[in-house]
């Protein structure tokens, strides 16, 4: 198991290229199950989640290879498998994205219910409601969703839930509806750019989807999809994370391969608190030229501030003088990062789905533990700004969704090292003094009198 050792206090500077979007690549890879002929995907990040899904797709009869250019080439070698085992699905919730394509193209699917998650309750009732509306027979048996449909029929589907729409639910229903007889409308569809990218991928293979990026989709059923080539959009969440790394360290960085039009809410919010952001096509310069101001921000479905940057924003605002409030209306329990930020000196009080953040004059390095993908990013941001060294453990969370983040941060001048998680690698500054070999804490010196007095008192039990 790896951990990061980070020495804070360096203002980031330089240029990095943002990787492809994890949350676009995953549903697009899953949708390749529904295609006759090979698909070539460019700009797919090399992440643990991508490798996990590749393994699952191979178990479902797909050939998945990376060519010498780094493109992912997927093709169906056997279209009979339809079971996504718990062993794979438990590693990554996004495995549920195979449900819609399997049902649409292979007419049946048996997919393990996704496991629990550190960011809160994550049901799939809307996924199942939408697929049932298309005429699928849906059963939940022994932890698996069993879905069958000889021929899906177009229907009017509503995907609104108590926390807005559903991103992967929209992906599943859209991918299945491509093969339904007649026309399907999806009302309260998710508008995230990653859903739009999946729609563009499907349309490039012969699907007929309109309304992408709006809450109202119309899908006219087709008989088959033919292979295509597709370039995955840049990762707006990685870009936002790097922007906040520049802001929290008072740096000056340039990001390449950024879709600023996918990040309006984040750009607006960072500008509002005082970050200087200059956009030039797919390049973006991020500078911290003034003291930042506190703010209120609410994570909402797109085009609102993404819940996937809420933890990183909380870390940034922990270093900004004044009181800020960070609210998450998508995942009301997504606050596992708070307790670890407190260990670094942040002053945060949780109130329901809000973090009340009062600035900490200076965060201090500490040993902290990542609990989920975006919490690990938040702890790294805090460590970049903290005084002294920090250790961030359980970096496997980070590796699920960020491609070589430590390389990118080092390219920007950060002092960050990936090491094995073992005591000998923990910096002496973070060890309890007796372990560090430095002079251990001395107890207060008692004069003899007080010692005599103390002894006599101790001898006579109270
Ligand atoms: C996707 O998850 C992303 N993952 C998440 O990113 C992201 O946080 C989330 O969308 C919201 O933007 C992928 O795309 C692989 P939802 P998803 O279904 O689709 C409730 C990351 O860090 N809901 O849009 O699982 C749900 O509980 C990950 O990269 C239902 O009630 O999220 C939540 O409160 C974390 N019923 C809200 O809707 C359902 O059937 C949004 O969930 C489905 C969801």
């Amino acid at each position: 198991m790896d951990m990061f050792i980070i020495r804070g206090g360096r203002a980031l500077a330089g240029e990095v290229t943002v990787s492809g979007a994890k949350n676009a690549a995953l549903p697009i890879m899953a949708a390749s199950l529904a295609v006759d002929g090979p698909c070539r995907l460019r700009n797919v990040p090399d992440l643990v989640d991508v490798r996990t899904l590749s393994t699952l797709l191979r178990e479902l009869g797909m050939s998945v290879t990376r060519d010498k250019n780094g493109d992912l080439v997927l093709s169906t070698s056997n279209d009979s498998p339809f079971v996504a085992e718990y062993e794979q699905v438990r590693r990554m919730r996004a495995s549920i994205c195979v449900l819609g394509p399997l049902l649409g193209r292979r007419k049946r699917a048996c997919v393990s219910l996704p496991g629990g998650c550190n960011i809160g309750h994550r049901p799939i009732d809307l996924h199942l409601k939408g697929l049932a509306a298309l005429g699928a027979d849906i059963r939940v048996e022994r932890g698996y969703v069993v879905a069958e449909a000889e021929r899906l029929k177009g229907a009017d589907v509503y995907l609104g839930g108590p926390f807005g729409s559903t991103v992967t639910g929209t992906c599943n229903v859209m991918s299945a509806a491509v093969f339904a007889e007649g026309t399907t409308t999806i009302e309260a569809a998710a508008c995230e750019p990653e859903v739009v990218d999946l729609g563009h991928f499907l349309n490039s293979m012969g699907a007929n989807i309109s309304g992408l990026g709006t809450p109202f989709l119309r899908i006219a059923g087709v008989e088959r999809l033919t292979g295509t080539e597709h370039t995955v959009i840049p990762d707006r969440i990685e870009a936002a994370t790097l922007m906040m790394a520049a802001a929290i360290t008072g740096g000056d960085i340039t990001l390449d391969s950024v879709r600023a039009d996918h990040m309006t809410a984040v750009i607006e919010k960072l500008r509002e608190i005082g970050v200087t952001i200059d956009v030039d096509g797919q390049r973006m310069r991020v500078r911290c030229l003034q003291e930042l101001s506190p703010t209120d921000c609410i994570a909402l479905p797109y085009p609102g501030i993404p819940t996937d940057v809420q933890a990183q924003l909380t870390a940034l605002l922990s270093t900004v003088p004044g009181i800020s409030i960070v609210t998450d209306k998508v995942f009301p329990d997504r606050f596992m990062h708070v307790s670890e930020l407190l260990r670094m000196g942040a002053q945060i009080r949780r109130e329901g789905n809000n973090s009340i953040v009062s600035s900490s004059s200076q965060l201090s390095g500490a040993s902290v533990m990542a609990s989920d993908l975006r919490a690990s990013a938040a702890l790294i941001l805090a460590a970049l700004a903290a005084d002294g060294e920090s250790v961030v453990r359980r970096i496997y969370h980070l590796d699920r969704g960020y491609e070589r983040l430590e390389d990118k941060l080092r390219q920007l001048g950060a002092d960050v090292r990936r090491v094995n998680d073992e005591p000998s690698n923990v910096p002496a500054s973070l060890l309890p003094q007796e372990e560090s070999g430095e002079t251990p804490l001395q107890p207060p010196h008692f004069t003899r009198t007080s010692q005599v007095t103390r002894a006599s008192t101790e001898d006579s039990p109270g």
Side-chain angles (χ1 to χ4, degrees), residues 22-23 93-94 119 121-127 162-163 165-168 192 307-308 330-331 334 373-374:
K22 165 178 84 81
N23 291 347
R93 286 186 47 79
I119 65 175
H121 183 38
R122 297 182 75 179
I124 60 166
D125 57 305
L126 296 173
H127 298 235
F163 302 98
S165 186
T166 164
V167 170
T168 49
E192 273 69 3
T307 173
D308 294 346
V330 178
F331 288 111
R334 191 174 197 170
L373 169 55
R374 307 305 174 181

PDB file of all heavy atoms in Angstrom, residues 22-23 93-94 119 121-127 162-163 165-168 192 307-308 330-331 334 373-374, ligand 1:
ATOM      1  N   LYS A  22     -12.379  10.547 -16.375  1.00  0.00           N
ATOM      2  CA  LYS A  22     -12.713   9.204 -15.877  1.00  0.00           C
ATOM      3  C   LYS A  22     -14.205   8.934 -16.061  1.00  0.00           C
ATOM      4  O   LYS A  22     -14.604   7.884 -16.561  1.00  0.00           O
ATOM      5  CB  LYS A  22     -12.373   9.103 -14.402  1.00  0.00           C
ATOM      6  CG  LYS A  22     -12.986   7.905 -13.683  1.00  0.00           C
ATOM      7  CD  LYS A  22     -12.591   7.816 -12.222  1.00  0.00           C
ATOM      8  CE  LYS A  22     -13.438   8.643 -11.327  1.00  0.00           C
ATOM      9  NZ  LYS A  22     -14.730   8.070 -10.924  1.00  0.00           N
ATOM     10  N   ASN A  23     -15.034   9.916 -15.685  1.00  0.00           N
ATOM     11  CA  ASN A  23     -16.478   9.675 -15.646  1.00  0.00           C
ATOM     12  C   ASN A  23     -17.158   9.758 -17.005  1.00  0.00           C
ATOM     13  O   ASN A  23     -18.357   9.501 -17.107  1.00  0.00           O
ATOM     14  CB  ASN A  23     -17.146  10.628 -14.644  1.00  0.00           C
ATOM     15  CG  ASN A  23     -16.745  10.280 -13.210  1.00  0.00           C
ATOM     16  OD1 ASN A  23     -16.179   9.207 -12.963  1.00  0.00           O
ATOM     17  ND2 ASN A  23     -16.991  11.182 -12.287  1.00  0.00           N
ATOM     18  N   ARG A  93     -18.114   1.004  -8.297  1.00  0.00           N
ATOM     19  CA  ARG A  93     -19.555   1.199  -8.465  1.00  0.00           C
ATOM     20  C   ARG A  93     -19.914   1.444  -9.927  1.00  0.00           C
ATOM     21  O   ARG A  93     -20.981   1.069 -10.382  1.00  0.00           O
ATOM     22  CB  ARG A  93     -20.006   2.397  -7.653  1.00  0.00           C
ATOM     23  CG  ARG A  93     -20.084   2.214  -6.171  1.00  0.00           C
ATOM     24  CD  ARG A  93     -20.680   3.461  -5.592  1.00  0.00           C
ATOM     25  NE  ARG A  93     -21.854   3.857  -6.353  1.00  0.00           N
ATOM     26  CZ  ARG A  93     -23.043   3.282  -6.201  1.00  0.00           C
ATOM     27  NH1 ARG A  93     -23.181   2.285  -5.349  1.00  0.00           N
ATOM     28  NH2 ARG A  93     -24.065   3.667  -6.917  1.00  0.00           N
ATOM     29  N   ALA A  94     -18.996   2.087 -10.633  1.00  0.00           N
ATOM     30  CA  ALA A  94     -19.342   2.467 -12.021  1.00  0.00           C
ATOM     31  C   ALA A  94     -19.528   1.242 -12.900  1.00  0.00           C
ATOM     32  O   ALA A  94     -19.967   1.348 -14.040  1.00  0.00           O
ATOM     33  CB  ALA A  94     -18.247   3.365 -12.585  1.00  0.00           C
ATOM     34  N   ILE A 119     -19.049   7.869   0.400  1.00  0.00           N
ATOM     35  CA  ILE A 119     -19.592   9.228   0.233  1.00  0.00           C
ATOM     36  C   ILE A 119     -21.096   9.237   0.480  1.00  0.00           C
ATOM     37  O   ILE A 119     -21.740  10.257   0.293  1.00  0.00           O
ATOM     38  CB  ILE A 119     -19.256   9.800  -1.166  1.00  0.00           C
ATOM     39  CG1 ILE A 119     -19.932   9.008  -2.277  1.00  0.00           C
ATOM     40  CG2 ILE A 119     -17.756   9.862  -1.367  1.00  0.00           C
ATOM     41  CD1 ILE A 119     -19.712   9.629  -3.659  1.00  0.00           C
ATOM     42  N   HIS A 121     -25.128   7.085   0.781  1.00  0.00           N
ATOM     43  CA  HIS A 121     -26.070   6.127   0.207  1.00  0.00           C
ATOM     44  C   HIS A 121     -26.119   6.317  -1.310  1.00  0.00           C
ATOM     45  O   HIS A 121     -26.202   7.450  -1.794  1.00  0.00           O
ATOM     46  CB  HIS A 121     -27.454   6.373   0.807  1.00  0.00           C
ATOM     47  CG  HIS A 121     -28.501   5.408   0.344  1.00  0.00           C
ATOM     48  ND1 HIS A 121     -28.251   4.062   0.128  1.00  0.00           N
ATOM     49  CD2 HIS A 121     -29.799   5.596   0.046  1.00  0.00           C
ATOM     50  CE1 HIS A 121     -29.345   3.474  -0.274  1.00  0.00           C
ATOM     51  NE2 HIS A 121     -30.308   4.367  -0.334  1.00  0.00           N
ATOM     52  N   ARG A 122     -25.998   5.222  -2.041  1.00  0.00           N
ATOM     53  CA  ARG A 122     -25.982   5.361  -3.505  1.00  0.00           C
ATOM     54  C   ARG A 122     -26.872   4.291  -4.135  1.00  0.00           C
ATOM     55  O   ARG A 122     -26.408   3.299  -4.667  1.00  0.00           O
ATOM     56  CB  ARG A 122     -24.553   5.274  -4.022  1.00  0.00           C
ATOM     57  CG  ARG A 122     -23.688   6.401  -3.489  1.00  0.00           C
ATOM     58  CD  ARG A 122     -22.282   6.371  -4.013  1.00  0.00           C
ATOM     59  NE  ARG A 122     -22.215   6.818  -5.407  1.00  0.00           N
ATOM     60  CZ  ARG A 122     -21.077   6.897  -6.078  1.00  0.00           C
ATOM     61  NH1 ARG A 122     -19.958   6.491  -5.506  1.00  0.00           N
ATOM     62  NH2 ARG A 122     -21.056   7.316  -7.329  1.00  0.00           N
ATOM     63  N   PRO A 123     -28.182   4.507  -4.045  1.00  0.00           N
ATOM     64  CA  PRO A 123     -29.126   3.523  -4.608  1.00  0.00           C
ATOM     65  C   PRO A 123     -29.082   3.521  -6.139  1.00  0.00           C
ATOM     66  O   PRO A 123     -28.463   4.393  -6.752  1.00  0.00           O
ATOM     67  CB  PRO A 123     -30.478   4.013  -4.107  1.00  0.00           C
ATOM     68  CG  PRO A 123     -30.298   5.493  -3.935  1.00  0.00           C
ATOM     69  CD  PRO A 123     -28.871   5.677  -3.497  1.00  0.00           C
ATOM     70  N   ILE A 124     -29.734   2.551  -6.738  1.00  0.00           N
ATOM     71  CA  ILE A 124     -29.858   2.539  -8.209  1.00  0.00           C
ATOM     72  C   ILE A 124     -31.325   2.388  -8.605  1.00  0.00           C
ATOM     73  O   ILE A 124     -31.645   1.933  -9.714  1.00  0.00           O
ATOM     74  CB  ILE A 124     -29.008   1.413  -8.845  1.00  0.00           C
ATOM     75  CG1 ILE A 124     -29.432   0.032  -8.333  1.00  0.00           C
ATOM     76  CG2 ILE A 124     -27.516   1.643  -8.628  1.00  0.00           C
ATOM     77  CD1 ILE A 124     -28.862  -1.115  -9.168  1.00  0.00           C
ATOM     78  N   ASP A 125     -32.216   2.829  -7.726  1.00  0.00           N
ATOM     79  CA  ASP A 125     -33.648   2.696  -8.011  1.00  0.00           C
ATOM     80  C   ASP A 125     -34.061   3.401  -9.296  1.00  0.00           C
ATOM     81  O   ASP A 125     -34.912   2.913 -10.053  1.00  0.00           O
ATOM     82  CB  ASP A 125     -34.478   3.215  -6.830  1.00  0.00           C
ATOM     83  CG  ASP A 125     -34.143   4.663  -6.496  1.00  0.00           C
ATOM     84  OD1 ASP A 125     -32.952   4.961  -6.259  1.00  0.00           O
ATOM     85  OD2 ASP A 125     -35.052   5.496  -6.506  1.00  0.00           O
ATOM     86  N   LEU A 126     -33.441   4.543  -9.576  1.00  0.00           N
ATOM     87  CA  LEU A 126     -33.814   5.282 -10.798  1.00  0.00           C
ATOM     88  C   LEU A 126     -33.338   4.549 -12.054  1.00  0.00           C
ATOM     89  O   LEU A 126     -34.032   4.528 -13.082  1.00  0.00           O
ATOM     90  CB  LEU A 126     -33.246   6.700 -10.748  1.00  0.00           C
ATOM     91  CG  LEU A 126     -33.785   7.593  -9.631  1.00  0.00           C
ATOM     92  CD1 LEU A 126     -33.016   8.902  -9.576  1.00  0.00           C
ATOM     93  CD2 LEU A 126     -35.284   7.829  -9.796  1.00  0.00           C
ATOM     94  N   HIS A 127     -32.172   3.899 -11.958  1.00  0.00           N
ATOM     95  CA  HIS A 127     -31.687   3.091 -13.092  1.00  0.00           C
ATOM     96  C   HIS A 127     -32.753   2.033 -13.428  1.00  0.00           C
ATOM     97  O   HIS A 127     -33.150   1.856 -14.576  1.00  0.00           O
ATOM     98  CB  HIS A 127     -30.400   2.338 -12.726  1.00  0.00           C
ATOM     99  CG  HIS A 127     -29.220   3.170 -12.374  1.00  0.00           C
ATOM    100  ND1 HIS A 127     -27.998   3.051 -13.006  1.00  0.00           N
ATOM    101  CD2 HIS A 127     -29.028   4.111 -11.415  1.00  0.00           C
ATOM    102  CE1 HIS A 127     -27.131   3.885 -12.466  1.00  0.00           C
ATOM    103  NE2 HIS A 127     -27.721   4.530 -11.507  1.00  0.00           N
ATOM    104  N   PRO A 162     -34.610  12.465  -5.482  1.00  0.00           N
ATOM    105  CA  PRO A 162     -34.597  13.444  -4.384  1.00  0.00           C
ATOM    106  C   PRO A 162     -33.359  14.340  -4.389  1.00  0.00           C
ATOM    107  O   PRO A 162     -33.338  15.400  -3.784  1.00  0.00           O
ATOM    108  CB  PRO A 162     -34.620  12.555  -3.138  1.00  0.00           C
ATOM    109  CG  PRO A 162     -34.184  11.201  -3.572  1.00  0.00           C
ATOM    110  CD  PRO A 162     -34.572  11.072  -5.006  1.00  0.00           C
ATOM    111  N   PHE A 163     -32.305  13.911  -5.129  1.00  0.00           N
ATOM    112  CA  PHE A 163     -31.077  14.713  -5.159  1.00  0.00           C
ATOM    113  C   PHE A 163     -30.743  15.151  -6.579  1.00  0.00           C
ATOM    114  O   PHE A 163     -29.601  15.336  -6.942  1.00  0.00           O
ATOM    115  CB  PHE A 163     -29.917  13.898  -4.561  1.00  0.00           C
ATOM    116  CG  PHE A 163     -30.183  13.460  -3.154  1.00  0.00           C
ATOM    117  CD1 PHE A 163     -30.658  12.186  -2.899  1.00  0.00           C
ATOM    118  CD2 PHE A 163     -30.003  14.332  -2.092  1.00  0.00           C
ATOM    119  CE1 PHE A 163     -30.941  11.767  -1.602  1.00  0.00           C
ATOM    120  CE2 PHE A 163     -30.280  13.923  -0.782  1.00  0.00           C
ATOM    121  CZ  PHE A 163     -30.755  12.639  -0.537  1.00  0.00           C
ATOM    122  N   SER A 165     -31.021  14.509 -10.802  1.00  0.00           N
ATOM    123  CA  SER A 165     -31.041  13.367 -11.710  1.00  0.00           C
ATOM    124  C   SER A 165     -29.948  12.380 -11.317  1.00  0.00           C
ATOM    125  O   SER A 165     -29.365  12.471 -10.240  1.00  0.00           O
ATOM    126  CB  SER A 165     -30.820  13.851 -13.153  1.00  0.00           C
ATOM    127  OG  SER A 165     -30.976  12.748 -14.023  1.00  0.00           O
ATOM    128  N   THR A 166     -29.691  11.403 -12.165  1.00  0.00           N
ATOM    129  CA  THR A 166     -28.662  10.403 -11.914  1.00  0.00           C
ATOM    130  C   THR A 166     -27.762  10.320 -13.137  1.00  0.00           C
ATOM    131  O   THR A 166     -28.252  10.077 -14.258  1.00  0.00           O
ATOM    132  CB  THR A 166     -29.275   9.023 -11.603  1.00  0.00           C
ATOM    133  OG1 THR A 166     -28.253   8.014 -11.733  1.00  0.00           O
ATOM    134  CG2 THR A 166     -30.446   8.666 -12.495  1.00  0.00           C
ATOM    135  N   VAL A 167     -26.463  10.495 -12.930  1.00  0.00           N
ATOM    136  CA  VAL A 167     -25.520  10.508 -14.057  1.00  0.00           C
ATOM    137  C   VAL A 167     -25.427   9.124 -14.695  1.00  0.00           C
ATOM    138  O   VAL A 167     -25.738   8.944 -15.872  1.00  0.00           O
ATOM    139  CB  VAL A 167     -24.135  11.002 -13.588  1.00  0.00           C
ATOM    140  CG1 VAL A 167     -23.072  10.792 -14.658  1.00  0.00           C
ATOM    141  CG2 VAL A 167     -24.214  12.480 -13.205  1.00  0.00           C
ATOM    142  N   THR A 168     -25.041   8.122 -13.907  1.00  0.00           N
ATOM    143  CA  THR A 168     -24.888   6.789 -14.506  1.00  0.00           C
ATOM    144  C   THR A 168     -26.245   6.179 -14.818  1.00  0.00           C
ATOM    145  O   THR A 168     -26.364   5.351 -15.730  1.00  0.00           O
ATOM    146  CB  THR A 168     -24.097   5.850 -13.572  1.00  0.00           C
ATOM    147  OG1 THR A 168     -24.651   5.938 -12.260  1.00  0.00           O
ATOM    148  CG2 THR A 168     -22.619   6.224 -13.535  1.00  0.00           C
ATOM    149  N   GLU A 192     -24.674  16.414 -17.215  1.00  0.00           N
ATOM    150  CA  GLU A 192     -23.210  16.477 -17.049  1.00  0.00           C
ATOM    151  C   GLU A 192     -22.497  16.287 -18.394  1.00  0.00           C
ATOM    152  O   GLU A 192     -22.962  15.479 -19.231  1.00  0.00           O
ATOM    153  CB  GLU A 192     -22.761  15.416 -16.049  1.00  0.00           C
ATOM    154  CG  GLU A 192     -22.798  15.822 -14.586  1.00  0.00           C
ATOM    155  CD  GLU A 192     -24.221  16.013 -14.028  1.00  0.00           C
ATOM    156  OE1 GLU A 192     -25.190  15.774 -14.745  1.00  0.00           O
ATOM    157  OE2 GLU A 192     -24.316  16.412 -12.859  1.00  0.00           O
ATOM    158  N   THR A 307     -20.299  18.079  -7.078  1.00  0.00           N
ATOM    159  CA  THR A 307     -20.030  17.470  -5.765  1.00  0.00           C
ATOM    160  C   THR A 307     -18.619  16.895  -5.732  1.00  0.00           C
ATOM    161  O   THR A 307     -17.992  16.830  -4.672  1.00  0.00           O
ATOM    162  CB  THR A 307     -21.062  16.366  -5.458  1.00  0.00           C
ATOM    163  OG1 THR A 307     -20.694  15.671  -4.273  1.00  0.00           O
ATOM    164  CG2 THR A 307     -21.162  15.358  -6.579  1.00  0.00           C
ATOM    165  N   ASP A 308     -18.062  16.551  -6.878  1.00  0.00           N
ATOM    166  CA  ASP A 308     -16.717  15.937  -6.922  1.00  0.00           C
ATOM    167  C   ASP A 308     -15.603  16.926  -6.653  1.00  0.00           C
ATOM    168  O   ASP A 308     -14.446  16.519  -6.588  1.00  0.00           O
ATOM    169  CB  ASP A 308     -16.474  15.259  -8.284  1.00  0.00           C
ATOM    170  CG  ASP A 308     -17.389  14.068  -8.479  1.00  0.00           C
ATOM    171  OD1 ASP A 308     -17.998  13.633  -7.488  1.00  0.00           O
ATOM    172  OD2 ASP A 308     -17.507  13.600  -9.613  1.00  0.00           O
ATOM    173  N   VAL A 330     -25.946  16.984  -3.372  1.00  0.00           N
ATOM    174  CA  VAL A 330     -25.999  15.770  -4.183  1.00  0.00           C
ATOM    175  C   VAL A 330     -25.721  14.549  -3.317  1.00  0.00           C
ATOM    176  O   VAL A 330     -26.454  13.573  -3.330  1.00  0.00           O
ATOM    177  CB  VAL A 330     -24.996  15.861  -5.351  1.00  0.00           C
ATOM    178  CG1 VAL A 330     -25.010  14.573  -6.169  1.00  0.00           C
ATOM    179  CG2 VAL A 330     -25.347  17.045  -6.247  1.00  0.00           C
ATOM    180  N   PHE A 331     -24.612  14.623  -2.547  1.00  0.00           N
ATOM    181  CA  PHE A 331     -24.281  13.567  -1.577  1.00  0.00           C
ATOM    182  C   PHE A 331     -24.200  14.217  -0.198  1.00  0.00           C
ATOM    183  O   PHE A 331     -23.131  14.695   0.209  1.00  0.00           O
ATOM    184  CB  PHE A 331     -22.961  12.894  -1.950  1.00  0.00           C
ATOM    185  CG  PHE A 331     -23.039  12.014  -3.159  1.00  0.00           C
ATOM    186  CD1 PHE A 331     -22.406  12.356  -4.340  1.00  0.00           C
ATOM    187  CD2 PHE A 331     -23.776  10.832  -3.124  1.00  0.00           C
ATOM    188  CE1 PHE A 331     -22.490  11.544  -5.458  1.00  0.00           C
ATOM    189  CE2 PHE A 331     -23.867  10.016  -4.248  1.00  0.00           C
ATOM    190  CZ  PHE A 331     -23.220  10.374  -5.414  1.00  0.00           C
ATOM    191  N   ARG A 334     -21.213  13.390   2.184  1.00  0.00           N
ATOM    192  CA  ARG A 334     -19.856  13.340   1.605  1.00  0.00           C
ATOM    193  C   ARG A 334     -18.912  14.258   2.370  1.00  0.00           C
ATOM    194  O   ARG A 334     -18.414  15.258   1.873  1.00  0.00           O
ATOM    195  CB  ARG A 334     -19.941  13.744   0.134  1.00  0.00           C
ATOM    196  CG  ARG A 334     -18.688  13.486  -0.659  1.00  0.00           C
ATOM    197  CD  ARG A 334     -18.896  13.777  -2.136  1.00  0.00           C
ATOM    198  NE  ARG A 334     -17.842  13.172  -2.940  1.00  0.00           N
ATOM    199  CZ  ARG A 334     -17.851  13.082  -4.250  1.00  0.00           C
ATOM    200  NH1 ARG A 334     -18.872  13.583  -4.935  1.00  0.00           N
ATOM    201  NH2 ARG A 334     -16.860  12.518  -4.907  1.00  0.00           N
ATOM    202  N   LEU A 373     -11.991   8.821  -3.079  1.00  0.00           N
ATOM    203  CA  LEU A 373     -11.223   9.443  -4.157  1.00  0.00           C
ATOM    204  C   LEU A 373     -11.046  10.939  -3.982  1.00  0.00           C
ATOM    205  O   LEU A 373      -9.919  11.463  -3.970  1.00  0.00           O
ATOM    206  CB  LEU A 373     -11.918   9.138  -5.493  1.00  0.00           C
ATOM    207  CG  LEU A 373     -11.459   9.898  -6.734  1.00  0.00           C
ATOM    208  CD1 LEU A 373      -9.980   9.744  -6.963  1.00  0.00           C
ATOM    209  CD2 LEU A 373     -12.267   9.435  -7.947  1.00  0.00           C
ATOM    210  N   ARG A 374     -12.091  11.668  -3.799  1.00  0.00           N
ATOM    211  CA  ARG A 374     -11.977  13.133  -3.769  1.00  0.00           C
ATOM    212  C   ARG A 374     -11.493  13.625  -2.410  1.00  0.00           C
ATOM    213  O   ARG A 374     -10.848  14.676  -2.336  1.00  0.00           O
ATOM    214  CB  ARG A 374     -13.286  13.788  -4.166  1.00  0.00           C
ATOM    215  CG  ARG A 374     -13.848  13.315  -5.490  1.00  0.00           C
ATOM    216  CD  ARG A 374     -12.891  13.457  -6.665  1.00  0.00           C
ATOM    217  NE  ARG A 374     -13.453  12.848  -7.873  1.00  0.00           N
ATOM    218  CZ  ARG A 374     -12.837  12.808  -9.041  1.00  0.00           C
ATOM    219  NH1 ARG A 374     -11.648  13.314  -9.164  1.00  0.00           N
ATOM    220  NH2 ARG A 374     -13.382  12.222 -10.084  1.00  0.00           N
TER     221      ARG A 374
HETATM  222  C1  LIG B   1     -21.604   9.850 -10.881  1.00  0.00           C
HETATM  223  O1  LIG B   1     -21.978   8.919  -9.877  1.00  0.00           O
HETATM  224  C2  LIG B   1     -20.096  10.015 -10.774  1.00  0.00           C
HETATM  225  N1  LIG B   1     -19.444   8.742 -11.022  1.00  0.00           N
HETATM  226  C3  LIG B   1     -19.733  10.522  -9.384  1.00  0.00           C
HETATM  227  O2  LIG B   1     -18.327  10.738  -9.362  1.00  0.00           O
HETATM  228  C4  LIG B   1     -20.440  11.860  -9.160  1.00  0.00           C
HETATM  229  O3  LIG B   1     -20.163  12.308  -7.842  1.00  0.00           O
HETATM  230  C5  LIG B   1     -21.955  11.679  -9.331  1.00  0.00           C
HETATM  231  O4  LIG B   1     -22.228  11.126 -10.642  1.00  0.00           O
HETATM  232  C6  LIG B   1     -22.707  13.000  -9.205  1.00  0.00           C
HETATM  233  O5  LIG B   1     -22.230  13.888 -10.168  1.00  0.00           O
HETATM  234  C7  LIG B   1     -19.345   8.295 -12.301  1.00  0.00           C
HETATM  235  O6  LIG B   1     -19.796   8.942 -13.237  1.00  0.00           O
HETATM  236  C8  LIG B   1     -18.636   7.002 -12.511  1.00  0.00           C
HETATM  237  P1  LIG B   1     -25.775   9.858  -9.380  1.00  0.00           P
HETATM  238  P2  LIG B   1     -23.484   8.314  -9.863  1.00  0.00           P
HETATM  239  O7  LIG B   1     -26.501   8.648  -9.777  1.00  0.00           O
HETATM  240  O8  LIG B   1     -23.997   8.234 -11.232  1.00  0.00           O
HETATM  241  C9  LIG B   1     -29.029   9.669  -5.961  1.00  0.00           C
HETATM  242  C10 LIG B   1     -16.146  10.559  -8.498  1.00  0.00           C
HETATM  243  O9  LIG B   1     -15.634  11.004  -7.456  1.00  0.00           O
HETATM  244  N2  LIG B   1     -29.530   8.532  -6.730  1.00  0.00           N
HETATM  245  O10 LIG B   1     -25.762  11.037 -10.285  1.00  0.00           O
HETATM  246  O11 LIG B   1     -23.453   7.094  -9.032  1.00  0.00           O
HETATM  247  C11 LIG B   1     -27.647   9.399  -5.363  1.00  0.00           C
HETATM  248  O12 LIG B   1     -27.766   8.752  -4.112  1.00  0.00           O
HETATM  249  C12 LIG B   1     -17.524   9.935  -8.454  1.00  0.00           C
HETATM  250  O13 LIG B   1     -15.604  10.585  -9.630  1.00  0.00           O
HETATM  251  C13 LIG B   1     -30.753   7.984  -6.377  1.00  0.00           C
HETATM  252  O14 LIG B   1     -31.415   8.413  -5.436  1.00  0.00           O
HETATM  253  O15 LIG B   1     -24.255   9.466  -9.079  1.00  0.00           O
HETATM  254  C14 LIG B   1     -27.075  10.787  -5.248  1.00  0.00           C
HETATM  255  O16 LIG B   1     -27.534  11.386  -4.069  1.00  0.00           O
HETATM  256  C15 LIG B   1     -18.095   9.897  -7.027  1.00  0.00           C
HETATM  257  N3  LIG B   1     -31.218   6.919  -7.104  1.00  0.00           N
HETATM  258  C16 LIG B   1     -27.642  11.522  -6.459  1.00  0.00           C
HETATM  259  O17 LIG B   1     -28.810  10.766  -6.853  1.00  0.00           O
HETATM  260  C17 LIG B   1     -30.525   6.399  -8.162  1.00  0.00           C
HETATM  261  O18 LIG B   1     -31.004   5.441  -8.804  1.00  0.00           O
HETATM  262  C18 LIG B   1     -26.696  11.604  -7.638  1.00  0.00           C
HETATM  263  O19 LIG B   1     -26.270  10.279  -7.925  1.00  0.00           O
HETATM  264  C19 LIG B   1     -29.294   6.984  -8.512  1.00  0.00           C
HETATM  265  C20 LIG B   1     -28.810   8.057  -7.778  1.00  0.00           C
END
